[in-house]
């Protein structure tokens, strides 16, 4: 019998205490094998407040100083997209592993360069793609893999939010208003990653997008039609201009296959329809604590586990380039009116 | 007070006693101001059987003979697409008005020629587009026009049938199996007409289609993204490869607007969601008799009324050219991968 090795607890610094930083800090407290030792934010008040709230020992505004003090194993980048490159390059210089929020970079070329540089330096890079860690998507994948609907041929995601309406939309992330590329780059990127998780490699993209709220710079509505290597046709229909709604668990998803179909409802219920029309509802208990079925914790745990075991991350830099390629192809398709083959 | 003029009852000959002929013959019996005097079918047994079943005085296999005997005001063409041209040309020669099933012709050019020739000859041509006469679509249009959801920006139709599955699909219309263009040309054409009815002129089409059942020649799945002059983005998601289902009333339709959204469910219920998230279900009684909310009768009544009053038909030949243009543009878009502007 082999003895289980004693696992050293990995130490990280969280960078960014804005909207999503606190969600990750809360989740880190429930991760095994790693902990956050310091919180960094250019806004020192925000850094202090987050450190106090989540009982993180240190905080500061200058990442270099904190790294010198803590000598961490990794940094957890939860800042806005435009700062990612600088922070990843800093991590490469200091030989720190990196967990970085999406979108990794504002262009595919820049993302490719960052990924290559991390690989060359032996720095492990994972993109914080939390969506695929939502337990209902894990369950849906399990059901598809188990053949419960046979060979899938179509999946349709419908995502609705109401926070993009009105004269002052996106109250929690007001900088959204000024982003020239908003919905796909910032939100639908998650669903594209989930499509890859559920349906495999995406081979082509057709996209139409538009701006519903004239108070913003970018698009807040998109329709994507994707094809995959496994011959699944996928639709993503998303906007943030919907009616006010009760809190919802998930996007609405239907996956149709040769032997039946499954429906993931916005309340998290999963319905399985056999080809004969019988309907069965799966009463699954989803974790009540944490963010969206505790998906953030699951994602962070995966990062910590991967650092310990050396196993590849599901959303390693290399992998995430495929998600980003679809994002940028979507904009290209919308501009040209043509399907873009990947 | 003006006296109501005595209305002469118009007389027609129904041509085609196949799958849909009997549905129209049944509906004709409940139309005011017009009647069917003879049934014609190349298959004399089918013609006789239909005449007996719907107590039509005459039947025959040769349309010329029946026209000579009956001297009708109009013919009602319920035959397969490939016979439409010959029958319409016959009607033009004999100065008979024509009600003709969709699709009018296998190419836009041919349809344009037929429409022009009818117009030149003073023959009134209406295409039998029954779908838009379904009372739930009338109600939806009324609600949109009344401003109940404000300015619409998106509509999504989802249409599912199960009759395209298996080794011998389309049992009721087996010739569907051999049609090189099937789903859009034969079925989705209805929804395109409904889109025009609800959302106005269609300005561009993006389409992806595929064949799910290898036992057929054409496509049985399509995704269309349409734009309209009134700036409504429309999705049509249709296939006939779904699970067996209980009888359904309607396609599933969601229309989203600036002041709320409405949902037409497959059981015919209409839900209205205000922008504040309040949901109200409209309990509307739909006609129980006849085909799909007695839409066939309503369509035939519109034809009879139009002949009496001289008012334009909603789906006159001219009008239907716009529907057909979208159908053919969809195939063009699917072939090229590009959005087609109309």
């Amino acid at each position: 019998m082999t003895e289980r090795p004693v696992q050293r607890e990995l130490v990280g610094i969280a960078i960014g205490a804005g909207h999503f930083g606190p969600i990750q800090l809360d989740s880190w407290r429930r991760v095994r094998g790693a902990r956050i030792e310091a919180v960094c934010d250019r806004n020192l008040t925000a850094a202090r407040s987050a450190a106090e709230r989540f009982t993180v020992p240190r905080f500061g505004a200058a990442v270099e100083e904190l790294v010198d003090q803590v000598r961490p194993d990794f940094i957890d980048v939860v800042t806005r997209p435009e700062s990612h490159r600088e922070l990843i390059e800093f991590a490469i210089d200091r030989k720190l592993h990196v967990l970085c929020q999406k979108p990794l970079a504002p262009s595919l070329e820049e993302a490719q360069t960052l990924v290559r540089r991390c690989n060359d330096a032996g720095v492990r890079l994972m993109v914080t793609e939390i969506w695929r860690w939502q337990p209902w998507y894990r369950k849906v994948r399990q059901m598809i893999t188990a053949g419960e609907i046979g060979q899938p041929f179509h999946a349709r995601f419908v995502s609705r939010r109401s926070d993009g309406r009105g004269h002052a939309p996106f109250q929690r992330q007001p900088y959204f208003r000024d982003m020239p590329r908003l919905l796909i780059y910032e939100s639908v990127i998650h669903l594209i990653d989930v499509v890859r998780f559920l349906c495999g490699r995406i081979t082509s993209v057709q996209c139409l997008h538009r701006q519903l709220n004239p108070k913003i710079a970018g698009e807040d509505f998109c329709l994507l039609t994707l094809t995959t290597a496994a011959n699944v046709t996928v639709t993503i229909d998303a906007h943030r201009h919907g009616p006010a709604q009760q809190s919802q668990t998930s996007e609405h998803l239907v996956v149709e296959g040769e032997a039946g179909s499954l429906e993931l409802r916005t309340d998290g219920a999963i319905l399985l329809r056999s080809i004969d029309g019988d309907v069965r509802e799966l009463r699954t208990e989803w974790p009540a604590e944490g963010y969206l079925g505790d998906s953030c914790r699951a994602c962070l745990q995966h990062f910590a586990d991967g650092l310990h075991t050396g196993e590849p991350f599901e959303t390693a830099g290399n992998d995430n380039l495929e998600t980003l390629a679809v994002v940028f192809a979507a904009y290209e398709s919308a501009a040209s009116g043509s399907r873009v083959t990947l």
Side-chain angles (χ1 to χ4, degrees), chain A:
Chain A
M1 220 175 76
T2 58
E3 210 168 315
R4 199 168 160 220
V6 177
Q7 211 178 42
R8 182 177 73 83
E9 191 170 52
L10 298 168
V11 172
I13 294 178
I15 306 173
H19 167 60
F20 211 78
I23 293 171
Q24 291 194 203
L25 287 168
D26 173 60
S27 299
W28 273 118
R29 297 193 293 183
R30 283 173 284 115
V31 170
R32 299 176 311 276
R35 69 169 194 277
I36 295 298
E37 187 65 22
V39 183
C40 179
D41 198 294
R42 286 179 307 184
N43 176 341
L44 193 64
T45 312
R48 178 192 294 118
S49 157
E52 284 170 4
R53 183 168 163 207
F54 300 103
T55 56
V56 176
R58 298 163 195 255
F59 64 89
V63 66
E64 299 83 352
E65 288 175 21
L66 286 171
V67 166
D68 288 338
Q69 290 165 25
V70 173
R71 306 181 68 83
D73 299 289
F74 67 91
I75 59 172
D76 177 18
V77 178
V78 202
T79 57
R80 295 186 197 179
E82 57 270 28
S83 60
H84 290 174
R85 183 178 61 183
E86 196 185 341
L87 288 165
I88 292 173
E89 285 176 346
F90 169 76
I92 291 169
D93 287 344
R94 305 293 291 257
K95 301 282 181 195
L96 304 173
H97 302 305
V98 191
L99 179 62
C100 181
Q101 263 291 348
K102 41 52 64 182
L104 188 55
S107 76
L108 189 58
E109 294 65 32
E110 205 170 307
Q112 284 166 333
T113 304
L114 288 173
V115 169
R116 194 180 53 243
R117 291 201 54 204
C118 285
N119 290 346
D120 291 349
V123 159
R124 297 197 65 192
L125 169 65
M126 172 171 140
V127 176
T128 320
E129 256 307 350
I130 286 171
W131 237 250
R132 65 160 67 201
W133 291 96
Q134 292 171 16
W136 34 91
Y137 287 127
R138 297 272 142 179
K139 180 67 183 173
V140 165
R141 181 167 137 134
Q142 199 182 75
M143 291 170 72
I144 293 173
T145 307
E148 298 211 36
I149 59 166
Q151 173 63 39
F153 59 81
H154 181 230
R156 181 180 61 245
F157 289 83
V158 177
S159 172
R160 291 291 179 270
R161 305 270 187 90
S162 58
D163 60 354
R165 277 198 178 256
H167 287 273
F170 306 114
Q171 292 282 349
R172 292 190 308 185
Q173 285 145 301
Y175 65 95
F176 276 14
R177 295 170 200 162
D178 303 318
M179 290 173 69
R181 290 178 162 184
L182 176 58
L183 189 72
I184 305 169
Y185 182 63
E186 174 56 44
S187 306
V188 169
I189 187 172
H190 294 303
L191 298 182
I192 291 169
D193 187 64
V194 173
V195 168
R196 294 184 52 243
F197 176 63
L198 296 180
C199 307
R201 189 166 62 82
I202 294 168
T203 49
S204 78
V205 187
Q206 204 164 39
C207 174
L208 176 151
H209 65 63
R210 59 186 280 199
Q211 186 192 92
L212 295 172
N213 190 337
K215 297 288 175 189
I216 64 172
E219 86 284 0
D220 53 1
F221 178 25
C222 73
L223 293 170
L224 270 69
T225 308
L226 312 171
T227 59
T228 76
N231 215 11
V232 187
T233 306
V234 183
T235 318
I236 300 177
D237 166 353
H239 69 69
R240 297 177 80 149
H241 203 69
Q245 54 198 171
Q246 295 175 308
S247 72
Q248 64 174 43
T249 303
S250 170
E251 289 79 34
H252 186 261
L253 167 65
V254 174
V255 188
E256 299 174 287
E258 289 292 340
S261 67
L262 62 82
E263 179 181 359
L264 170 62
R265 295 204 166 161
T266 56
D267 63 0
I270 297 178
L271 274 71
L272 185 64
R273 279 182 182 77
S274 80
I275 203 62
D276 302 319
D278 302 323
V279 182
R280 182 160 63 88
E281 182 174 344
L282 275 77
R283 297 237 160 247
T284 312
E285 289 295 321
W286 308 124
E289 71 179 339
Y291 180 75
L292 291 176
D294 217 14
S295 53
C296 184
R297 186 207 54 75
C299 179
L300 302 181
Q301 186 66 61
H302 178 67
F303 177 69
D305 290 347
L307 289 185
H308 280 295
T309 63
E311 291 291 314
F313 302 126
E314 284 193 17
T315 56
N318 285 328
D319 173 272
N320 194 252
L321 292 178
E322 293 191 32
T323 298
L324 277 174
V326 177
V327 167
F328 296 117
Y331 287 106
E332 188 188 332
S333 168
S336 70
S338 295
R339 174 167 296 281
V340 174
T341 303
L342 295 164

